Amino acid sequence: MTDSKKALCLAMVTDDFLPAKTGVGVHVQEISLELIRRGHRVVVITSRRKGQPIFEEWQGIRIFRGWSLTIAGYPQALPRRSTLQRMLLAENVDVVHFHYLSFLMWQGLMVAREMGLKTLYTAHMSVDLLVQPFFMKPLLPLFTRLYFV
């Protein structure tokens, strides 16, 4: 990191991270490691599977796992806004990068906007893919709205 470039703290918000169960989880691992290598700090806010700790560090990345439910075989974090706000404040986050359309993203986006933080969303999949399971079909309008927030 040169003197002219400020090291940032980036929060990666994703329902899949470590161990990765999807390509998105692998992508977030790789990009987080590269950001660390470039001198930035990375915090990952993700779901928590049975037996996983609420907090851990992995290769310089601080991982926070929230209470979650498994839906259609994939863990979905269901955090409170107050919990997300405390984490973002404690870590002095500059940018919040979202990787999944989910309740975690929705809560995180609302908190980041309230805090005046910069946000970024990477579209890893289409809305149609997200609502493939039959019971998810009624959520298509909601996910479509979130996709274009």
Side-chain angles (χ1 to χ4, degrees):
M1 181 81 36
T2 66
D3 291 338
S4 64
K5 292 184 180 179
K6 176 188 174 224
L8 298 172
C9 180
L10 299 106
M12 300 290 174
V13 179
T14 175
D15 281 297
D16 185 35
F17 183 64
L18 186 69
K21 191 170 183 169
T22 67
V24 176
V26 171
H27 169 78
V28 176
Q29 286 177 16
E30 290 175 356
I31 196 169
S32 296
L33 290 171
E34 180 60 22
L35 288 164
I36 292 284
R37 189 188 72 72
R38 292 180 183 210
H40 299 288
R41 290 187 310 113
V42 176
V43 174
V44 174
I45 301 171
T46 190
S47 60
R48 183 172 177 223
R49 299 178 201 161
K50 187 176 182 173
Q52 288 184 313
I54 293 171
F55 171 78
E56 74 174 300
E57 289 196 29
W58 176 75
Q59 297 191 32
I61 300 164
R62 296 173 61 81
I63 305 167
F64 294 92
R65 293 187 179 91
W67 185 81
S68 307
L69 287 177
T70 299
I71 301 171
Y74 297 96
Q76 302 292 307
L78 303 170
R80 297 174 65 157
R81 284 187 189 186
S82 59
T83 302
L84 291 172
Q85 184 178 39
R86 276 193 310 275
M87 279 189 259
L88 295 173
L89 281 170
E91 294 298 324
N92 198 24
V93 169
D94 298 298
V95 178
V96 184
H97 187 171
F98 300 97
H99 293 272
Y100 268 101
L101 286 173
S102 64
F103 184 77
L104 173 60
M105 180 200 144
W106 180 251
Q107 292 288 78
L109 183 60
M110 296 303 105
V111 168
R113 285 183 172 169
E114 289 166 4
M115 294 174 66
L117 297 174
K118 294 177 182 165
T119 60
L120 169 66
Y121 173 68
T122 298
H124 292 279
M125 63 198 78
S126 70
V127 174
D128 292 336
L129 181 65
L130 287 170
V131 297
Q132 278 184 345
F134 182 74
F135 68 90
M136 297 282 288
K137 298 277 185 218
L139 298 175
L140 179 60
L142 172 64
F143 281 133
T144 300
R145 222 173 37 246
L146 282 174
Y147 197 75
F148 296 103
V149 169

